Amino acid sequence: MAQAEQAGFRIVAREDYSDVTYMLEVAHPLMAKAARPGQFVIVMEHEHGERIPLTIADFSRERGTITLVIQAVGKTTREMQANCKAGTTLYALVGPMGIPSHIGKAKKVVCVGGGLGVAPVYPQARAYKESGAYVIGVIGFRNRDLMFWEDKFAAVCDELIICTDDGSAGIKGLVTEGIKQALAKHSDIDEVVAIGPPIMMKGCAETTRPHGVKTIVSLNPVMVDGTGMCGGCRVKIGEQVKFACVDGPDFDGHQVDFDDLMKRLVRYKRAEHDALERWQESCRIRADTVIDLKAAVLGNEAEIPIDIQPSTDG
Ligand SMILES: Cc1cc2nc3c(=O)[nH]c(=O)nc-3n(C[C@H](O)[C@H](O)[C@H](O)COP(=O)(O)OP(=O)(O)OC[C@H]3O[C@@H](n4cnc5c(N)ncnc54)[C@H](O)[C@@H]3O)c2cc1C
Ligand code: FES
């Protein structure tokens, strides 16, 4: 595992795909060298920040970088959206974690990404293509404006099916419609890999179950330490209890107890909501402070010490 070896990890590029989805490319040559499809990192944006798991959505050994695609859903991911720019650093980055996806000898594979799940399934689609498999990509978004990486998928897929909920691009419908289309056209699909919200992965597993096609999903339970010690990421796989951070995050979708996973994911809703409110309130106070200081400076420049700046810490 490549460990943090310097004070911070430089963000070399950022791109925003929508109001809530953004990409960070982070310099870390060791991590880029060690990373395999399906693995994730644990990130702390600043010294007092929360540790959050994020999938390595891409890596370039040539550039010595890893790519993270993040959806701003709560306190930490919104704080990162506000603070992380090209040229800034992440305080800590640990990984690559988790068992790499098994890129076996499958000859025909369907790689399915729903919404943000499009990013983490990309390295698997690329790896299957490199292994010589025929790759069918199925990527789904709510609408055309939220689409990203369709060009990256087109470059590694033999066929690409785009699905949008409202029909503004590709076929109208959920990714399960795309899977059905692929299954109807190809009777020799060896494997389906599906990544996205739990309800989507559950739908994909139920779509393939009657066809008996092996279906791998990547689970995203709440993780704390990421080392198998805390038990936070416990998931039920058939009759067994597994820890997604060390036993996964990939599992057999036909064995996963998705209802249990979804119940566990909303357990901390109250605390997450409170943390977001506290952060938003502190942002508002800082913004007011800046306005007050500016007004004071404009009113009497000589009396205001020039080093008074509102803190940018969370
Ligand atoms: C293996 C793995 C890979 C992931 N990859 C990505 C990714 O590539 N991009 C991305 O945007 N998100 C990813 N996530 C989810 C991401 O970790 C959460 O969205 C993030 O932790 C939310 O933190 P928050 O403070 O912004 O929101 P909060 O308000 O704290 O939480 C919002 C929701 O995010 C989930 N969540 C909260 N804390 C954690 C945690 N410590 N671990 C896991 N889930 C949590 C819960 O479902 C929660 O309801 C991944 C999760 C896992 C387990
Ligand atoms: S995150 Fe603690 S056991 Fe997996």
Side-chain angles (χ1 to χ4, degrees), residues 117-188:
V118 165
V121 86
Y122 169 75
Q124 300 196 40
R126 182 175 61 187
Y128 274 115
K129 186 70 200 157
E130 286 168 0
S131 78
Y134 185 91
V135 180
I136 303 162
V138 177
I139 56 175
F141 304 90
R142 283 209 307 278
N143 59 56
R144 169 185 284 280
D145 295 339
L146 298 175
M147 279 170 50
F148 65 92
W149 283 18
E150 61 275 22
D151 46 344
K152 279 174 81 109
F153 267 83
V156 298
C157 292
D158 297 280
E159 287 178 42
L160 179 60
I161 303 171
I162 295 174
C163 312
T164 50
D165 294 5
D166 64 357
S168 51
I171 61 170
K172 185 173 190 298
L174 305 173
V175 287
T176 44
E177 290 309 310
I179 299 175
K180 282 180 197 162
Q181 226 178 64
L183 288 168
K185 187 171 168 192
H186 303 270
S187 57
D188 54 349

Side-chain angles (χ1 to χ4, degrees), residues 132-274:
Y134 185 91
V135 180
I136 303 162
V138 177
I139 56 175
F141 304 90
R142 283 209 307 278
N143 59 56
R144 169 185 284 280
D145 295 339
L146 298 175
M147 279 170 50
F148 65 92
W149 283 18
E150 61 275 22
D151 46 344
K152 279 174 81 109
F153 267 83
V156 298
C157 292
D158 297 280
E159 287 178 42
L160 179 60
I161 303 171
I162 295 174
C163 312
T164 50
D165 294 5
D166 64 357
S168 51
I171 61 170
K172 185 173 190 298
L174 305 173
V175 287
T176 44
E177 290 309 310
I179 299 175
K180 282 180 197 162
Q181 226 178 64
L183 288 168
K185 187 171 168 192
H186 303 270
S187 57
D188 54 349
I189 291 169
D190 297 305
E191 195 170 320
V192 171
V193 180
I195 307 185
I199 190 75
M200 177 219 114
M201 294 190 285
K202 181 180 179 184
C204 294
E206 291 315 317
T207 305
T208 58
R209 195 190 296 275
H211 298 266
V213 176
K214 180 178 167 189
T215 300
I216 302 296
V217 295
S218 176
L219 301 187
N220 58 343
V222 172
M223 290 187 182
V224 183
D225 62 327
T227 63
M229 303 289 283
C230 72
C233 66
R234 196 178 308 126
V235 287
K236 285 191 197 159
I237 312 294
E239 296 301 307
Q240 293 184 304
V241 170
K242 299 273 186 188
F243 293 151
C245 65
V246 287
D247 300 322
D250 289 359
F251 293 99
D252 175 353
H254 295 150
Q255 298 285 318
V256 172
D257 185 337
F258 284 104
D259 296 334
D260 179 68
L261 173 67
M262 289 187 273
K263 254 189 248 152
R264 291 178 64 85
L265 275 171
V266 294
R267 258 183 165 185
Y268 305 103
K269 271 275 171 273
R270 184 75 243 165
E272 288 159 2
H273 174 263
D274 291 350

Side-chain angles (χ1 to χ4, degrees), residues 50 52-53 55 69-71 74 76-77 116 221 223 265 269 272:
E50 191 192 359
I52 62 161
T55 305
V69 178
I70 306 165
Q71 196 160 31
T76 302
T77 46
L116 189 76
M223 290 187 182
L265 275 171
K269 271 275 171 273
E272 288 159 2

Side-chain angles (χ1 to χ4, degrees), residues 49 74 93 102-103 112 174 185 252-253 261 265 293 302 311:
L93 188 62
H102 178 66
I103 308 297
V112 189
L174 305 173
K185 187 171 168 192
D252 175 353
L261 173 67
L265 275 171
L293 279 169
S311 159

